[in-house]
């Protein structure tokens, strides 16, 4: 189940701030679905430091979907 969806492809400029804002608003047990045109590997370390887990999958050649939630 996805509670919040953020398509980084629709953001004009660097999406990092928008992603962090969405994570700040994410409640316990909620999931953020991040959609991006490439695998956002540098983000994974930031997520871990902030107490989140993620699952990434490549939906198509130019679309990655990353499900992010609070670590248990």
């Amino acid at each position: 189940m996805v509670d919040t969806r953020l398509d980084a492809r629709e953001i004009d400029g660097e999406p990092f701030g928008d992603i962090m804002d969405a994570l700040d608003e994410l409640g316990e047990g909620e999931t953020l679905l991040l959609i991006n045109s490439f695998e956002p590997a540098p983000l994974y370390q930031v997520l871990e430091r902030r107490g989140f887990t993620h699952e990434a999958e490549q939906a198509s050649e130019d679309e990655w979907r990353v499900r992010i939630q609070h670590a248990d």
Side-chain angles (χ1 to χ4, degrees):
M1 184 169 130
V2 173
D3 299 289
T4 304
R5 176 186 162 114
L6 177 63
D7 192 335
R9 301 171 300 179
E10 298 173 355
I11 297 170
D12 186 27
E14 173 59 51
F16 185 78
D18 295 85
I19 296 168
M20 293 301 107
D21 289 345
L23 291 175
D24 288 342
E25 296 175 14
L26 199 63
E28 276 305 318
E30 293 181 342
T31 300
L32 170 66
L33 175 62
L34 174 64
I35 301 170
N36 207 357
S37 57
F38 60 90
E39 183 177 16
L43 178 64
Y44 300 157
Q45 210 171 23
V46 174
L47 294 174
E48 187 176 314
R49 281 197 308 263
R50 294 194 60 189
F52 292 94
T53 61
H54 71 278
E55 292 179 19
E57 67 176 339
Q58 188 170 10
S60 68
E61 187 176 312
D62 62 351
E63 181 178 312
W64 281 82
R65 294 173 175 249
V66 184
R67 286 175 179 76
I68 304 167
Q69 58 192 26
H70 289 277
D72 292 332

